[in-house]
Amino acid sequence: MSNIYYFLQLIWYQLTFKARPLPDDIRLEGQTAIVTGANVGLGFEAAKELASHELSRLILGVRDLAKGEAAKAEIVRVAPKCDIQVWQLDQESWASMVAFAERARTDLDRLDIILLNAGLKRLEYTRSPTSHEVHVQTNYLGTALLSLLLSEPLRQTAQKLGKPGRMTITTSSVGFIAPVRDITNPQEGNSIINWLDNPTSFVPGDSRYYLSKLLDMLWTRALASRLSASDIIVNTPNPGYCQSSFHRVDPNGDMFSKYLAFTTVEGGRHLTDAAVRHPDSHGAYLSEQRLRPFPNFIYSVEGVEVQQKLWDETITLFRQECPEANIEEFTRGE
Ligand SMILES: NC(=O)c1ccc[n+]([C@@H]2O[C@H](COP(=O)([O-])OP(=O)(O)OC[C@H]3O[C@@H](n4cnc5c(N)ncnc54)[C@H](OP(=O)(O)O)[C@@H]3O)[C@@H](O)[C@H]2O)c1
């Protein structure tokens, strides 16, 4: 898609679409949900909306426990009966993610909804403590690892109750204008992840963030093809361009935010809509609260090859860099 066409479409969508809240008759009584990146922004609003529909237990996955407690204090006001717990989670630490998933496995007697939403944007090359480029680590690898590790408790609940669990991975329409040459033709030993980690592959600006959201789409499809929709429905929504601290690093963001951005409440509604409604959305992309096609690249021969290669590289990387995750359990027969 050309950038001009993309931005014209985006402006039209931002000016004309109004996200609907969850219908009043949706009751989440008895259910447990996990939301990552839940202390602020879209994750916070989505967590609050889920809690306000009589959700029984809500786990706020946050980097900073004090910020998580502040978010909890606000959510308690709209959902005083919900058991809200703040759990530490840092997607730049393998140990933190493994501990988080282990806690979910041992502490929760059921798990119904997972909203993997944490993410960031940086305009300059930044290396994460894991040694990966920070978008690759946080937006892609961290999300992918959690999706694997948390799928087991979700599946167990689904099989006990006889209805599928829900997993939603926040993406963005910017995946439509991501620079795909970096993943179709990686320059470093033909490895996509090695190439994206290499500072010479980084162009200052937001294109690496765009690419990380395309990787989330590819991962969602690869994961969905390995999960049964009767156990877990996994989908990936675009919340639109929203006012939030997300764009603080971007000097153009303020201007766009002022005139065109959705509020964080409206952004959060796109996420809750995907996480609770649309039983037909397994492996799907949603935008404007409905199923929409992925970028054309994803359906192309090259896109299908990249999806498989990315899956293979990612699983190999988890086996090597995070053996404590015991990824074998989730990838039998791969
Ligand atoms: N805002 C938009 O216009 C927009 C549009 C499309 C998609 N999205 C996506 O929506 C999601 C939420 O964005 P937002 O607008 O709500 O941004 P935000 O207000 O900046 O919130 C991002 C959340 O992610 C958390 N996070 C960042 N790095 C983390 C890490 N290493 N480990 C754990 N948590 C981490 C942040 O924690 P801290 O508070 O500790 O930093 C925060 O809770 C992101 O995935 C973003 O890509 C946003």
Side-chain angles (χ1 to χ4, degrees), residues 18 30-31 39 68 70 75 89 98 103 121 125 142 153 171 178 211 214 219 231 234 243 264 280 309 327:
K18 194 86 190 145
Q31 298 195 26
N39 55 293
I75 300 174
L89 174 67
V98 170
R103 191 169 172 191
K121 175 164 75 171
Y125 183 90
T171 188
L211 197 54
L214 180 64
W219 178 261
D231 286 340
V234 55
Q243 287 161 5
T264 42
D280 54 345
K309 187 163 148 53
I327 221 70

Side-chain angles (χ1 to χ4, degrees), residues 117-306:
N117 163 76
L120 51 68
K121 175 164 75 171
R122 297 282 177 271
L123 303 183
E124 299 297 331
Y125 183 90
T126 312
R127 200 182 283 283
S128 175
T130 57
S131 88
H132 296 290
E133 190 278 327
V134 76
H135 296 90
V136 171
Q137 176 62 41
T138 308
N139 298 1
Y140 174 62
L141 292 173
T143 302
L145 182 65
L146 288 168
S147 73
L148 287 177
L149 298 183
L150 293 171
S151 62
E152 202 41 44
L154 200 58
R155 189 193 338 259
Q156 276 173 14
T157 302
Q159 290 182 347
K160 231 187 279 171
L161 300 176
K163 76 176 180 80
R166 303 296 301 253
M167 183 184 292
T168 287
I169 294 176
T170 306
T171 188
S172 168
S173 65
V174 294
F176 281 76
I177 50 165
V180 293
R181 66 186 175 279
D182 281 322
I183 55 178
T184 54
N185 187 21
Q187 306 287 297
E188 173 133 341
N190 202 27
S191 155
I192 296 170
I193 296 174
N194 287 351
W195 173 236
L196 297 182
D197 283 340
N198 185 329
T200 60
S201 73
F202 192 93
V203 177
D206 23 32
S207 63
R208 179 54 54 84
Y209 166 65
Y210 299 173
L211 197 54
S212 71
K213 290 289 149 179
L214 180 64
L215 299 186
D216 283 340
M217 294 180 188
L218 289 161
W219 178 261
T220 302
R221 276 172 65 86
L223 182 64
S225 70
R226 291 161 173 86
L227 294 174
S228 157
S230 58
D231 286 340
I232 299 175
I233 295 169
V234 55
N235 60 27
T236 187
N238 161 44
Y241 189 96
C242 306
Q243 287 161 5
S244 78
S245 49
F246 196 75
H247 303 290
R248 60 189 170 273
V249 293
D250 190 346
N252 301 320
D254 273 353
M255 181 72 168
F256 201 78
S257 285
K258 201 164 158 196
Y259 298 107
L260 289 171
F262 297 143
T263 63
T264 42
V265 172
E266 290 168 326
R269 285 176 182 168
H270 290 82
L271 308 184
T272 52
D273 173 75
V276 172
R277 305 179 73 220
H278 307 287
D280 54 345
S281 63
H282 186 53
Y285 170 70
L286 294 100
S287 190
E288 294 127 88
Q289 297 184 320
R290 60 195 166 104
L291 270 63
R292 308 278 285 176
F294 280 101
N296 286 340
F297 166 73
I298 285 191
Y299 306 107
S300 69
V301 174
E302 265 186 325
V304 172
E305 281 170 12
V306 167

